[in-house]
Amino acid sequence: MLKLALFVAAALLTATPALAQTRAMIDGLNAKFAEAFNKGDGVAVAAMYAKDAVVLPPGSDMVKGKAAIQAFWQGATQQLGDMKLNALDVKPLGKAAAREIGTFSLKPKAQGGQEVVGKYVVVWQKVGKAWKVGTDIWNTNK
């Protein structure tokens, strides 16, 4: 019984830091994504996606593949800036995937435009040693 109690205690002690590392990792990836977007660097944004990634923008067709994803984000960076991402919930989905739910805000580059505010879901997947976006969907609050 003592061995079982020690095993459970060790498992609990190691599980919590792993989740914290996952959250910290996602926050770091989000900072990198927003920085690339805010610089207008569609190439760097697209590099954060897996080869078979799918982007599901609101009111638009699905965007699949690196070239299409790069073109999509490059176009978005021409119209919007000051991206802010805020992960609210990160759930590990095994060792090689995680689901993130969060909120975002963007400001239009054109004068008189309204700030865009919404929520998103991203499924991250581990590709080799790197974490990449596998699925990306969002919508606005209005």
Side-chain angles (χ1 to χ4, degrees), residues 3 29 46 87 109-110 126 136:
K3 285 183 183 179
L29 291 167
K109 289 186 175 179
K126 198 164 188 182
D136 189 359

Side-chain angles (χ1 to χ4, degrees), residues 79-96:
Q79 299 173 28
L80 300 164
D82 196 23
M83 174 185 275
K84 291 184 175 68
L85 300 171
N86 180 32
L88 300 175
D89 183 50
V90 175
K91 179 179 181 180
L93 304 172
K95 293 182 181 180

Side-chain angles (χ1 to χ4, degrees), residues 1-14:
M1 196 65 166
L2 178 61
K3 285 183 183 179
L4 179 60
L6 290 173
F7 175 76
V8 170
L12 289 174
L13 289 173
T14 58

Side-chain angles (χ1 to χ4, degrees), residues 11-12 61 73:
L12 289 174
D61 292 333
W73 284 116

Side-chain angles (χ1 to χ4, degrees), residues 47-132:
M48 296 189 69
Y49 286 81
K51 285 183 190 179
D52 60 349
V54 178
V55 175
L56 305 156
S60 298
D61 292 333
M62 286 189 264
V63 182
K64 297 179 183 178
K66 286 275 191 171
I69 290 170
Q70 179 180 330
F72 173 83
W73 284 116
Q74 194 64 55
T77 65
Q78 302 304 308
Q79 299 173 28
L80 300 164
D82 196 23
M83 174 185 275
K84 291 184 175 68
L85 300 171
N86 180 32
L88 300 175
D89 183 50
V90 175
K91 179 179 181 180
L93 304 172
K95 293 182 181 180
R99 187 262 298 137
E100 173 193 4
I101 295 174
T103 59
F104 70 88
S105 65
L106 296 154
K107 292 185 180 172
K109 289 186 175 179
Q111 279 190 319
Q114 290 186 331
E115 182 177 36
V116 180
V117 178
K119 60 261 181 207
Y120 65 88
V121 176
V122 169
V123 177
W124 292 92
Q125 59 191 56
K126 198 164 188 182
V127 179
K129 292 185 179 189
W131 284 90
K132 302 285 185 172

